[in-house]
Amino acid sequence: MPHQEQPIARGPVPVPVIIQTDSRDKWSKKIDFLLSVIGFAVDLGNVWRFPYICYQNGGGAFLIPYVLMAVFGGVPLFYMELALGQFHRTGAISIWKHICPIFKGIGFAICVIALYVSFYYNTIIAWALFYFYSSFSSTLPWTSCDNAWNTENCTNYFGKDNVTWTNYSRSPAEEFYTRNVLELHESSGLGNVGVIRWQLMLCLFLIFTIVYFSLWKGVKTSGKVVWVTATLPYVVLFILLIRGATLPGAWRGVVFYLQPKWEKLQETSVWVDAAAQIFFSLGPGFGVLLALSSYNPFTNNCYRDAIVTSLVNCLTSFVSGFVIFTVLGYMAEQRHVSVEDVAKNKGPSLLFITYPEAIANMMGSTFFAIIFFVMMITLGLDSTFGGLEAIITAVMDEYPDVLTHRRELFVLGLVVVCFLGSLSTLTKGGAYVVKLLEEFGVGSSIIAVVFLEATAVSWFYGINRFSNDIKAMLGYTPGLFWKVCWVAISPAFLAYIIISSLLNPSPLTLFDYRFPDWSITVGYIIGISSFMWIPIYMVYKLVWTPGSLKQLSWLTRRIISGTELNNIIFEII
């Protein structure tokens, strides 16, 4: 018997939902699934973004809005996606046949956003691989100012007295990153990005080769790879934490990291940053949780999985702060400046300039550099596995007759597309392209998509129906807290982020380069190019659905009156 079906009441027309499919891949072990989810959720952002956002927004005081946003916003959305994927056992596109067909465009939007992420995120991993290769030397190349790429502004202050640090001073690590790895000085900006850096292209090719052979056979292979890529970062973090705690001045960094500034809680921006951080950290809406949980047994305890993986994610972010700020305290001690002056770097610069600079001046610098960049590569690979698996599962479930027995070829084609789409980020001005895609390719688009997803599930599919689905899997109905969060608090949480980001846009800059107005317009076009599939599919569905204008008018009145849209669509079709 190929599958079992359980009729679920859907208004006037019962629609069968597949709850177990023997032909569908399954995780070999429960731990494979948990490591895959943790590996996706714990990424490079946990290492740099949380520590930076935390100290910028009040240190220890920031933990209050962070925890509140996690409890009432992030974790409920995380739980919702795991439950949806496990119950319907399908990807981000075809799942809407069961939930609310007119919102199927959400699935296409998720796939486009995942593509944009793959265009720039893997380039950051390629930078880490370049550093990893460069670390195999007795003296790290970003230790001194005696290299061909260094300028007269290069200032090396470690082990030296009476060194003057000015606004024009550049550390050896910064010049290695900007002038040797990226070669940004040979690009005038987005209008002239220059030629492709063949060294970075080779690194990216190696990254995508690893990605392909990890994903080509499905969760059977990727579930084994994550045993290394998801666990190794924790070993490295522990080693770096011990080393950082023994450095002179480490305590200054920890105090700066956690010292509460209670007055910051009165600022709206702090709460917006907390909401955005927990959202992008846990990662609902990228289709990954839907895809990974769809390979679970029907009765798997997805509630416990959601709580455990969310806790691991948040604790990892918190511990990463100690790893980063013990080192920043050490650097402040060496420079004879405040920690705030050292911690001004944010984003990937914290990982490619600040931390490598500190490592270069430690005892055993080569060893610590190697394990640090291994950690970065594995953190990045896990998230890439998840992002591409979301696309693979969504498209293969939507077109099973064509792709079921051609997974290897489809994955190869997808990897080639991602590689070609990344070429612009490998140019000498590629860092500007990375910044543009990071800001507009994901940003508000993914938050708007998740807002519609949460609204469609809670209000159109129906919170009672969704709760009954969970009861069918777990044997009990979710409590009142979860229902209130899904219906009201989580959508409000997402709307709050969207409105705040649109009302208070920050200028887009990278180092000393300010992005021109035309590039911002291009960025908005990139953002719209993913979201537009939602209204396009809605129009397509309404136009091509059989029925008269009178029936369409009746449909509209039903929608406005609050009737669940899913019942209406099935009544008409």
Side-chain angles (χ1 to χ4, degrees):
M1 186 173 178
H3 62 258
Q4 297 174 344
E5 295 182 348
Q6 175 180 325
I8 303 294
R10 308 210 178 252
V13 182
V15 176
V17 172
I18 297 174
I19 65 172
Q20 187 70 39
T21 308
D22 293 336
S23 60
R24 188 175 184 82
D25 281 348
K26 301 177 186 66
W27 297 103
S28 299
K29 298 178 181 178
K30 172 66 175 286
I31 191 66
D32 294 355
F33 164 71
L34 289 176
L35 288 176
S36 296
V37 173
I38 291 172
F40 161 70
V42 178
D43 67 351
L44 295 173
N46 291 75
V47 178
W48 71 261
R49 195 172 190 275
F50 177 83
Y52 175 80
I53 292 292
C54 186
Y55 93 76
Q56 186 186 47
N57 290 290
F62 177 75
L63 297 177
I64 294 176
Y66 179 77
V67 170
L68 289 175
M69 291 297 180
V71 170
F72 292 101
V75 177
L77 291 170
F78 194 88
Y79 179 22
M80 172 184 279
E81 284 220 348
L82 288 182
L84 284 171
Q86 182 172 304
F87 183 82
H88 296 288
R89 296 182 58 78
T90 187
I93 298 176
S94 52
I95 194 172
W96 293 98
K97 297 175 183 177
H98 308 300
I99 297 175
C100 188
I102 203 168
F103 282 101
K104 191 176 180 180
I106 290 177
F108 294 109
I110 287 173
C111 290
V112 174
I113 292 172
L115 271 179
Y116 288 153
V117 172
S118 72
F119 290 167
Y120 76 84
Y121 192 81
N122 294 286
T123 297
I124 298 176
I125 308 175
W127 296 345
L129 183 58
F130 187 98
Y131 269 85
F132 173 72
Y133 171 77
S134 302
S135 299
F136 286 90
S137 60
S138 56
T139 302
L140 296 175
W142 56 87
T143 302
S144 69
C145 294
D146 302 325
N147 305 287
W149 57 80
N150 291 128
T151 67
E152 64 277 4
N153 291 325
C154 184
T155 305
N156 189 3
Y157 56 89
F158 278 92
K160 299 179 180 180
D161 296 323
N162 301 322
V163 174
T164 303
W165 189 268
T166 69
N167 291 334
Y168 298 100
S169 298
R170 297 291 181 267
S171 69
E174 181 175 348
E175 291 204 341
F176 177 82
Y177 177 54
T178 60
R179 298 180 64 85
N180 186 49
V181 179
L182 303 180
E183 293 191 0
L184 272 177
H185 62 289
E186 295 191 20
S187 169
S188 58
L190 282 173
N192 178 27
V193 294
V195 299
I196 293 175
R197 298 262 290 121
W198 68 266
Q199 299 93 330
L200 294 180
M201 185 169 69
L202 179 60
C203 290
L204 187 67
F205 177 80
L206 292 174
I207 292 297
F208 273 120
T209 301
I210 295 172
V211 170
Y212 174 72
F213 286 108
S214 299
L215 295 178
W216 70 324
K217 293 293 186 181
V219 295
K220 299 290 185 183
T221 53
S222 64
K224 297 297 178 287
V225 175
V226 293
W227 277 80
V228 176
T229 58
T231 57
L232 185 59
Y234 288 96
V235 177
V236 176
L237 274 176
F238 179 74
I239 295 173
L240 294 176
L241 178 62
I242 298 300
R243 182 67 184 104
T246 61
L247 293 172
W251 64 272
R252 294 177 59 187
V254 173
V255 169
F256 184 79
Y257 173 42
L258 293 179
Q259 187 174 29
K261 303 182 184 78
W262 301 110
E263 66 278 5
K264 282 280 189 178
L265 296 180
Q266 299 175 18
E267 299 178 14
T268 305
S269 61
V270 173
W271 295 83
V272 174
D273 284 346
Q277 171 60 27
I278 194 65
F279 173 80
F280 285 110
S281 180
L282 291 176
F286 287 90
V288 179
L289 303 177
L290 289 173
L292 297 181
S293 62
S294 71
Y295 299 107
N296 274 334
F298 182 72
T299 56
N300 174 66
N301 193 334
C302 55
Y303 169 70
R304 183 176 57 200
D305 294 344
I307 300 300
V308 170
T309 51
S310 297
L311 281 174
V312 170
N313 180 282
C314 295
L315 288 174
T316 303
S317 296
F318 184 64
V319 172
S320 296
F322 290 96
V323 173
I324 295 295
F325 275 91
T326 51
V327 167
L328 294 182
Y330 164 64
M331 292 179 63
E333 186 92 354
Q334 297 299 311
R335 282 193 192 182
H336 305 291
V337 297
S338 68
V339 179
E340 187 172 6
D341 292 332
V342 178
K344 61 184 179 181
N345 283 330
K346 60 179 179 178
S349 297
L350 189 64
L351 301 179
F352 292 107
I353 297 176
T354 310
Y355 209 89
E357 182 179 338
I359 287 176
N361 294 277
M362 294 179 185
M363 185 74 71
S365 57
T366 298
F367 168 74
F368 287 109
I370 289 172
I371 65 170
F372 177 72
F373 290 110
V374 165
M375 179 188 73
M376 287 182 59
I377 292 168
T378 52
L379 282 173
L381 283 174
D382 282 333
S383 296
T384 291
F385 294 159
L388 293 187
E389 185 60 54
I391 301 176
I392 295 165
T393 300
V395 177
M396 289 189 64
D397 285 345
E398 180 67 9
Y399 307 102
D401 296 337
V402 179
L403 299 174
T404 297
H405 301 293
R406 298 182 177 88
R407 180 183 172 102
E408 292 89 347
L409 285 176
F410 175 65
V411 174
L412 178 62
L414 176 62
V415 167
V416 169
V417 168
C418 293
F419 180 79
L420 295 176
S422 304
L423 291 180
S424 62
T425 65
L426 304 175
T427 58
K428 295 183 177 181
Y432 301 128
V433 182
V434 168
K435 182 70 173 178
L436 191 71
L437 285 172
E438 182 184 22
E439 189 73 19
F440 293 101
V442 188
S444 297
S445 300
I446 189 65
I447 302 174
V449 165
V450 183
F451 172 77
L452 288 178
E453 177 186 314
T455 304
V457 172
S458 298
W459 289 91
F460 292 90
Y461 183 66
I463 194 62
N464 290 331
R465 186 177 305 168
F466 179 54
S467 298
N468 289 334
D469 292 347
I470 293 177
K471 184 178 181 180
M473 293 186 292
L474 306 185
Y476 54 86
T477 304
L480 181 62
F481 167 79
W482 298 105
K483 293 180 181 180
V484 172
C485 285
W486 289 328
V487 169
I489 299 178
S490 294
F493 157 85
L494 295 167
Y496 177 61
I497 304 176
I498 296 170
I499 294 171
S500 298
S501 61
L502 293 177
L503 292 180
N504 302 296
S506 55
L508 194 60
T509 60
L510 182 64
F511 297 111
D512 298 326
Y513 177 73
R514 186 184 179 96
F515 284 68
D517 292 339
W518 67 264
S519 67
I520 305 301
T521 303
V522 172
Y524 282 122
I525 293 173
I526 292 173
I528 293 171
S529 67
S530 58
F531 189 79
M532 69 180 186
W533 295 106
I534 299 173
I536 286 176
Y537 189 84
M538 285 181 173
V539 172
Y540 160 79
K541 194 68 177 175
L542 290 173
V543 170
W544 288 95
T545 297
S548 64
L549 288 176
K550 183 177 180 181
Q551 288 174 306
L552 180 60
S553 175
W554 167 79
L555 167 63
T556 305
R557 290 197 304 272
R558 291 280 299 275
I559 294 174
I560 295 173
S561 68
T563 304
E564 289 177 352
L565 182 59
N566 195 49
N567 290 347
I568 304 168
I569 294 297
F570 278 106
E571 284 178 17
I572 293 179
I573 298 178

